Amino acid sequence: MSLINDDMQQLLLNYCEPENTLLQKIDRETHLKVLMPRMLSGHYQGRVLSLLSKMISPSRILEIGTFTGYATLCLAEGLGADGLIYTLDINEELEERVRGYFAESQDEEKIRYIIGDATQTVNTLNEIFDLVFIDADKKNNGTYYDLIFDRVRPGGLIVVDNVLWSGKVLHANPDKDTKNITNFNDKIAADNRVEKLILPVRDGLFIIRKK
């Protein structure tokens, strides 16, 4: 899913912060034991998310799409002592594994892991968020964006993953999934309430700042 070659990817890894032991474990076990391990954010993207979080020192983070919790823990690194991250996922089969990983983290008390349909569970949260990371079912990117927009403070960040879709967004005759991605990207490009850019990190990260 990376848009750059393996040699350049390794060079980037050489010049970024290392993974801690728990993140290494999650990466390894996800690839060995979980279906579709490519959904994992991984080392380099994880460091990008961690640094973005640390730069804005969020009090409240929302993540839509937990998978095995790798990105959750990276985002949590920027939280202060009283900070919280809410992470929403629909996959009950991974719940026990993910809760086990969170229990090993020094940030366990800051994590609120909620299983269910995110289009419903997000409405149960009475919070204003400083940072939102959307990395769930891509056809609902626009739905999630609309649901959370008024819950993001001015100056807050919304980060959306997989917006370059392995380069398929360049195809002249895109399939349905690719059209969904492009439609979302066009929606953000036309939204004058935000500043935005796409970083070609892994499969594309849309960085969106609410004005």
Side-chain angles (χ1 to χ4, degrees):
M1 296 175 70
S2 177
L3 299 169
I4 62 175
N5 65 43
D6 291 343
D7 289 340
M8 182 60 73
Q9 185 65 39
Q10 186 56 54
L11 183 143
L12 294 174
L13 290 174
N14 291 343
Y15 285 100
C16 76
E17 292 294 303
E19 296 172 297
N20 64 35
T21 302
L22 177 56
L23 291 175
Q24 290 176 358
K25 175 181 176 179
I26 295 172
D27 190 314
R28 181 176 62 255
E29 292 188 354
T30 299
H31 281 86
L32 288 174
K33 302 176 181 180
V34 179
L35 292 175
M36 295 191 292
R38 66 183 181 277
M39 292 170 58
L40 186 91
S41 286
H43 183 178
Y44 186 73
Q45 181 170 302
R47 291 305 87 204
V48 172
L49 295 174
S50 171
L51 193 57
L52 286 172
S53 182
K54 290 173 180 175
M55 288 172 70
I56 67 172
S57 300
S59 173
R60 294 293 184 271
I61 301 173
L62 173 63
E63 178 185 41
I64 301 177
T66 314
F67 192 45
T68 52
Y70 189 103
T72 315
L73 295 176
C74 294
L75 291 164
E77 292 175 18
L79 289 169
D82 297 324
L84 293 174
I85 178 168
Y86 294 85
T87 183
L88 314 180
D89 204 277
I90 200 168
N91 192 340
E92 296 178 358
E93 293 182 2
L94 289 175
E95 181 177 3
E96 182 177 358
R97 175 181 297 278
V98 174
R99 290 196 186 279
Y101 293 145
F102 291 163
E104 294 183 49
S105 168
Q106 63 180 7
D107 293 317
E108 179 188 11
E109 297 302 316
K110 301 176 184 178
I111 299 170
R112 302 292 182 267
Y113 179 37
I114 300 170
I115 295 293
D117 182 341
T119 63
Q120 303 299 318
T121 57
V122 72
N123 292 319
T124 69
L125 306 178
N126 185 25
E127 298 278 12
I128 297 296
F129 295 100
D130 308 289
L131 173 58
V132 176
F133 181 45
I134 300 174
D135 186 16
D137 53 318
K138 309 309 169 186
K139 68 180 184 297
N140 276 321
N141 278 350
T143 300
Y144 297 134
Y145 180 81
D146 291 339
L147 281 171
I148 60 89
F149 192 85
D150 290 339
R151 300 163 186 259
V152 178
R153 68 165 173 82
L157 293 183
I158 303 167
V159 180
V160 185
D161 198 9
N162 304 112
V163 295
L164 296 180
W165 209 231
S166 300
K168 293 179 183 178
V169 290
L170 294 173
H171 290 183
N173 297 300
D175 58 26
K176 182 178 179 180
D177 290 339
T178 306
K179 287 179 181 177
N180 286 334
I181 298 292
T182 297
N183 288 341
F184 174 75
N185 293 346
D186 290 344
K187 175 186 176 77
I188 301 306
D191 191 344
N192 60 16
R193 301 171 298 173
V194 298
E195 301 169 87
K196 58 272 187 179
L197 61 81
I198 294 176
L199 295 180
V201 172
R202 192 164 167 267
D203 197 29
L205 286 177
F206 222 141
I207 312 297
I208 303 159
R209 180 181 180 274
K210 186 174 179 180
K211 293 180 181 178

